[in-house]
Amino acid sequence: ECGHGLYEHGVARELVRTVVRQHGGFELDTDGDSLMVAFARARDAVAAAVGSQRATRSVGRLRIGISSAEAIATDEGYTGLGVRGAESIWSAAHSGQILLSQTARDLLRETPLDTTEVLDLGEHRLTDLTAAQRLFQLVVPDLEREFPPPRSLETRPTNLPLQPTPLVGREREIREVAELLRR
């Protein structure tokens, strides 16, 4: 499980780190004000997201994206569709919102959290992902419930065409183009 959240204050970051550890998660990476964390189970990632939102209410609202997919360890950190998916879902979230991928929602169905509800937000085209993704919002009774539509490519229109194929996994083609440019 990969989660990505924005933590605008150092106090909030430490509160989130405490909640993540309480739910068996560990920190993969930090980038500016955001943390990338991982969990063994979707239920733990969601429980930590809810706990983090509650713990940081007085110091700032978080936006959290949860994706369930494999992350690959490299010398520079973690990479893969799980990481890209979590980052893209996080980017689509609004402050105070917890968004889930289809896979995370499906896994959560197996061991749901009491008192939480999952709202289907439909399919959205997200930054850095070629296929549209079905997004779900976690609804918790004592947390904010109403948000604008996810910040997807549809709600942030550009004049850029859809990326036809991902660049990830195309190292040979990238080397060939670089060599042609050097010539």
Side-chain angles (χ1 to χ4, degrees):
E1 304 303 317
C2 294
H4 213 284
L6 176 65
Y7 310 106
E8 296 177 357
H9 307 349
V11 172
R13 184 186 300 246
E14 291 312 310
L15 290 169
V16 170
R17 283 180 169 145
T18 299
V19 172
V20 165
R21 284 191 300 272
Q22 289 170 349
H23 291 281
F26 62 95
E27 191 173 326
L28 297 176
D29 197 6
T30 182
D31 182 18
D33 287 340
S34 66
L35 296 175
M36 173 73 65
V37 296
F39 298 85
R41 300 179 322 150
R43 186 180 203 284
D44 297 333
V46 169
V50 171
S52 295
Q53 289 288 29
R54 287 178 174 150
T56 60
R57 263 192 282 224
S58 64
V59 293
R61 297 176 345 151
L62 310 178
R63 55 185 169 128
I64 298 174
I66 300 174
S67 176
S68 297
E70 188 174 290
I72 301 163
T74 68
D75 291 340
E76 291 83 34
Y78 287 82
T79 187
L81 291 177
V83 174
R84 284 187 24 231
E87 289 172 342
S88 296
I89 293 169
W90 166 78
S91 293
H94 296 278
S95 292
Q97 189 174 37
I98 302 170
L99 293 182
L100 308 172
S101 69
Q102 172 87 48
T103 307
R105 191 287 311 253
D106 291 347
L107 291 169
L108 186 59
R109 275 185 171 169
E110 296 173 13
T111 56
L113 291 177
D114 297 340
T115 73
T116 63
E117 177 187 341
V118 178
L119 180 64
D120 187 342
L121 301 178
E123 288 195 351
H124 297 272
R125 288 183 28 240
L126 303 178
T127 307
D128 296 332
L129 299 178
T130 55
Q133 305 293 308
R134 183 163 292 277
L135 295 179
F136 298 84
Q137 178 184 313
L138 189 68
V139 178
V140 182
D142 62 329
L143 296 176
E144 190 173 350
R145 177 186 183 102
E146 301 296 324
F147 297 95
R151 297 168 7 167
S152 62
L153 294 176
E154 288 87 3
T155 60
R156 293 183 282 176
T158 70
N159 62 350
L160 298 175
L162 277 178
Q163 183 179 337
T165 58
L167 290 177
V168 174
R170 299 189 53 195
E171 288 79 12
R172 182 180 55 81
E173 290 90 345
I174 293 170
R175 280 193 304 274
E176 289 173 4
V177 168
E179 182 58 33
L180 289 171
L181 289 172
R182 277 191 284 268
R183 287 184 199 162

